[in-house]
Every structure is written in C-alpha cells, then in structure tokens.
Amino acid sequence: MEFFADVPEPIPFAGATADPDRLSFQVYDPDRLVGGRRMEDLLRIGVCYWHSFNWPGSDIFGAGTFDRPWLDPSLDPMGAARHKQDAAFEFFTKLGVRHFSFHDVDMAPEGASLRESRSNLDEMVDRAGEKMADTGMKLLWGTANLFSHPRYAAGAATNPDPEVFAHAAAQVRHMMDATHRLGGENYVLWGGREGYETLLNTRMRQESDQLARFLSMVAEYKRQIGFTGTLLLEPKPQEPTKHQYDYDSATVHGFLERYGLQGEFRVNIEVNHATLSGHSFQHEVAYAVDNDLFGSVDANRGDPQNGWDTDQFPNSVDEMSLGVYEILRGGGFDTGGFLFDTKLRRQSVDRCDLFHGHVGGIDTLARSLLVADALLQAETLEAERDRRYAGWAEGMGAEVLAGSWDLGRLADHAVDVDLNPSAVSGRQEHLENEVNRAIWSTPH
Ligand code: XUL
Ligand code: CO
C-alpha cells in the first residue's frame, strides 16, 4: 500500500529556478562534487524512524494530531509494525537519501517479556534487512530506547536498582546484535535518564561508576561480536531529567578519560543539545574534532525563544555553515553523517509536510556545505588562525610547549630581554564579514 502517493520518486534536484509548488531540491544534488567528493558522500543524510514514524504528534498538553494509521492502538502490533516499516522505506526512497536510524522499540512492539520483545525485533529486523537489500538503504546507527518505559524512570545504567541495569543490558546487547546484523555503521547511546531529578536522593559518584561499568561492557561486547562500527555517546545537558551526566562534549571527554574509556567512544553531537548546554553547534563540533571525539551529528535545532528540545528542521545556513566548516576542517565524516532527529510541528498534519521538512533541511545542509568548502578552500579562517598562533610554532614558544623550559627560566628570560608585548587585533569583525561574504557569494 502506497502511503505518500502524491510524492514523486525520487524527489528531483531542480536548482534555484524550481517550481515552488512541486517538491524538489534547490541545492542538494547528490552527484555534485564539492572539494572533489560527491555531496551525498560528504553529507551522509539519514532519516530517523522515531519522530517521523513512531510519534503521533502528541505533546504534554495534547494527543497526537498526525495521520499515522499504523499507530492505532486497536491494531495487531506486529501488523502495524510492518505497515509502519513499509511507509518508512517508501519515505526514505522517495526522499532519495541513503541512511536511516532506529531504536529497538520504534521498529517492533515490546512483548510481554524480554524474550518476546527479542523475537518481535528479530522478525522486523530481518524484514528491514530485506528492504535494505532491495532499496540500497544503509543503517547509520542503531540504538536502544532506555528512557520511555516506566522501569527506566530513575535511569538505566545509573538506576539504583541493578535489575534495571541488567534489563538495559539485555536491550543493548540485542540492539547491538541487530545493528551488527544490518551492517550498521555506528551504535548510539543517548543517556536520556542517566542523570537526576534531585540531589536529595542521589549519589553522583555511585551513578557515574555504574555508567562507566555499563559503557565498558558495551565496548567489550563490541569486540566479542566483531562489530567494526563506531560507538557514539550523545551529549545532552538536561531534559527529560534536571541534569544529565553526558552534559556536553567536554564533559563526556573528561568522563571517558577518567574511566580509561578514551578511544572506545566518540560523540554524536545534536545541534539542539549543543545550544541547550549553553554552547553553539560550532563549539561542540570544534571541541570534538580537536580531541579526536567527533563521530556524527543530529542536525535538528532548537527555537531561540524556547528552553527545551524542539527538534526542528535545520533552516539557518548562518548557523550550520560554521559547524560544517569545523567538520570539514577535521576531514569530514568517517562512519557518521547528518541524521534528521527532527520533529514536525503538531499542526503539520499533511502527509507531504514530512517531505517539506526534510527537503528544506537537506538543502540547508547542502548550502552550508558549499559555504564551508568555500571558506576552507580560501583558507580564510585557517590563515588567520595560523597567523595568530605563529609565535608558538618556533623559538621560545615551541620550546615552552615541548616542556623544555621551567617557570624560572621563562621568568628570567622575560626579565632579561625586558619583554613588553603589545596587544594584537583578533580581527573578529573582519572575520565575521568574511564569513558573510562566503555565505552571500557562494554560487548555487
Ligand atoms: C533525544 C534524542 C534522541 C537520541 C536517540 O533528545 O536526541 O532522539 O538521538 O535516542
Ligand atoms: Co538525537
């Protein structure tokens, strides 16, 4: 049964002169070469199963608004899951992207026991494997939902009850197996409720030891099954809990170093989570790139007036270009990609709205990629950064960094040669103008 019957397959690239009444890409042209590489291979766009197919458009004040027939609770759950999977693959192929991602519970209904949940998931994963073979779709990442069920209200790995920890382990082991079986390129752990609601009942040290133990077991299991994809942690400062332990990239980095887990995990940076943590997307990417942590991106943004996770489609080239610039500076994606962990607004009830959100977001990323590539090719920012730190590349600066001068020698040197360095312009406004010049002048 065709669900999106009015949408052409696949949505074409039509350029800037496209008819606004027909779905088409204005900038995203998969075969276009950017810095010698295909746009599709650089952006590695993915669609998420959960918000797009598994969420009815409900919020804390109201019921679902969307037309998602497979979410009708009166249906046989496995039949509904098959219908949902058909609609999802129809959407992926009509949109013309190559990747998708899912949680265990998005794809198959939970059973009455872990055993039954496992067999439901196995059946749906086999079916997804057949659809992937037919369509050429690839799994960007798999993950387990360890935050929706009431048993996880006090966390999964950080739960005070070790039986909840064990239940989470069963789900994660099974989803790692499923991800491996589908040739998934990454496995994600988002610590949705790995945090606290109040410190009155919380032992933070105990909970972080538990989380570290869980992550060590995950890294060990990856080796046991020969999974060669990347393990990713997805930082977020809060929501649903008051405070989450994977606050931002730097916090995750410190945690991994503290527990000897460096090198085992990288980060999946979400644009909206970056802004919730008080940083910019560019900051989070630059930190991860500089510390060999960069893995993948969830491209959804927030609303500047809201303090919560609105998961909107990216639509600002100004915001995305700088983050994409840092990604390109680091060499681009390896196993990661741009996942659309995006939600429609509740009033977007037409079937084609899901396409409009993705098409606009993908065009925004494509345009940001062109801007970032132009900045990189022109060495606009790198030349300035090189100039700014040139003193550290040789002489006293280089020797101090290498550790061959102690504080006394350095202080004596400063006194002996009577150092009196003068301030140098950081040229911020000039650079901001250069970035705008690249945004305004980059050809379509
Ligand atoms: C929640 C969030 C999740 C993760 C996967 O804010 O981003 O959708 O990406 O569990
Ligand atoms: Co996310």
Side-chain angles (χ1 to χ4, degrees):
M1 194 196 323
E2 207 178 359
F3 185 68
F4 301 102
D6 297 339
V7 177
E9 179 176 357
I11 293 178
F13 165 71
T17 54
D19 175 354
D21 293 328
R22 302 180 67 153
L23 273 167
S24 62
F25 290 105
Q26 290 186 49
V27 194
Y28 181 66
D29 178 6
D31 290 324
R32 176 167 177 176
L33 295 181
V34 182
R37 294 173 65 190
R38 292 178 64 253
M39 203 173 234
E40 179 176 61
D41 299 339
L42 282 166
L43 292 176
R44 295 170 56 81
I45 302 289
V47 173
C48 87
Y49 217 93
W50 50 102
H51 296 322
S52 297
F53 304 101
N54 218 41
W55 171 58
S58 52
D59 70 11
I60 48 171
F61 295 100
T65 53
F66 297 154
D67 166 27
R68 302 278 185 269
W70 51 86
L71 297 181
D72 180 343
S74 67
L75 294 174
D76 155 55
M78 284 301 279
R82 283 189 283 273
H83 185 187
K84 174 168 54 183
Q85 193 174 68
D86 293 343
F89 275 83
E90 184 193 335
F91 181 81
F92 304 154
T93 44
K94 288 188 168 173
L95 187 62
V97 299
R98 287 270 148 267
H99 290 90
F100 74 107
S101 295
F102 69 100
H103 299 85
D104 46 1
V105 302
D106 306 330
M107 191 170 270
E110 277 194 270
S113 64
L114 274 168
R115 217 178 280 282
E116 193 184 322
S117 298
R118 183 157 47 177
S119 88
N120 288 350
L121 186 61
D122 283 344
E123 188 181 326
M124 291 310 299
V125 164
D126 287 347
R127 196 171 183 273
E130 287 162 20
K131 285 186 169 286
M132 288 166 70
D134 288 348
T135 57
M137 286 299 295
K138 295 186 172 126
L139 180 60
L140 185 62
W141 44 268
T143 188
N145 180 324
L146 307 178
F147 43 88
S148 294
H149 194 281
R151 77 174 69 84
Y152 293 124
T158 60
N159 200 289
D161 179 355
E163 292 191 353
V164 178
F165 183 104
H167 196 286
Q171 265 184 264
V172 168
R173 182 187 69 170
H174 194 218
M175 249 328 271
M176 286 178 76
D177 289 342
T179 303
H180 186 36
R181 200 154 83 241
L182 293 176
E185 297 176 55
N186 307 271
Y187 186 85
V188 165
L189 293 116
W190 169 56
R193 294 188 196 272
E194 312 295 22
Y196 61 79
E197 303 284 8
T198 172
L199 279 175
L200 296 178
N201 62 11
T202 301
R203 290 195 171 140
M204 278 200 279
R205 179 59 198 249
Q206 164 79 26
E207 294 200 357
S208 43
D209 287 353
Q210 288 176 211
L211 182 56
R213 186 68 202 112
F214 195 88
L215 296 180
S216 304
M217 291 160 90
V218 167
E220 199 178 87
Y221 190 66
K222 170 185 155 161
R223 276 188 284 280
Q224 279 172 22
I225 60 174
F227 176 59
T228 53
T230 310
L231 297 175
L232 298 171
L233 299 178
E234 184 173 324
K236 185 174 181 183
Q238 71 277 120
E239 200 209 10
T241 61
K242 173 188 165 70
H243 174 87
Q244 280 158 219
Y245 298 130
D246 295 338
Y247 199 94
D248 60 3
S249 295
T251 309
V252 166
H253 184 209
F255 181 92
L256 294 174
E257 296 264 335
R258 176 166 145 220
Y259 287 101
L261 289 166
Q262 60 274 45
E264 301 281 17
F265 293 86
R266 293 202 238 153
V267 285
N268 181 38
I269 296 173
E270 182 163 311
V271 176
N272 204 163
H273 298 179
T275 45
L276 288 175
S277 70
H279 302 307
S280 62
F281 174 54
Q282 183 192 13
H283 168 100
E284 284 293 87
V285 175
Y287 184 90
V289 164
D290 286 351
N291 291 285
D292 300 324
L293 278 180
F294 179 71
S296 199
V297 170
D298 282 4
N300 39 302
R301 66 176 169 96
D303 180 309
Q305 286 168 24
N306 290 345
W308 71 88
D309 199 8
T310 56
D311 288 326
Q312 286 172 250
F313 288 86
N315 67 354
S316 164
V317 173
D318 290 19
E319 179 183 31
M320 289 308 296
S321 297
L322 296 174
V324 179
Y325 174 80
E326 300 296 338
I327 295 173
L328 291 187
R329 175 174 71 80
F333 288 118
D334 169 8
T335 58
F338 277 110
L339 195 263
F340 275 62
D341 188 0
T342 40
K343 279 160 118 165
L344 288 170
R345 298 306 88 196
R346 271 180 96 232
Q347 295 173 61
S348 302
V349 295
D350 291 345
R351 291 185 183 185
C352 66
D353 287 327
L354 196 57
F355 282 97
H356 284 294
H358 284 84
V359 166
I362 293 169
D363 269 342
T364 299
L365 291 179
R367 187 106 180 86
S368 302
L369 177 70
L370 296 176
V371 171
D373 180 63
L375 285 169
L376 200 69
Q377 300 301 334
E379 298 188 4
T380 314
L381 304 182
E382 277 344 281
E384 184 62 22
R385 291 171 182 182
D386 286 348
R387 192 187 64 78
R388 199 154 177 254
Y389 296 95
W392 292 96
E394 57 188 13
M396 176 193 75
E399 288 172 29
V400 166
L401 264 190
S404 51
W405 291 37
D406 65 11
L407 190 69
R409 181 172 172 200
L410 188 58
D412 287 345
H413 169 75
V415 173
D416 292 348
V417 302
D418 194 18
L419 286 184
N420 186 17
S422 49
V424 175
S425 173
R427 307 183 81 208
Q428 180 170 339
E429 294 77 8
H430 165 72
L431 292 174
E432 287 168 350
N433 294 348
E434 288 298 303
V435 168
N436 275 346
R437 199 189 304 273
I439 291 171
W440 298 337
S441 67
T442 302
H444 271 11

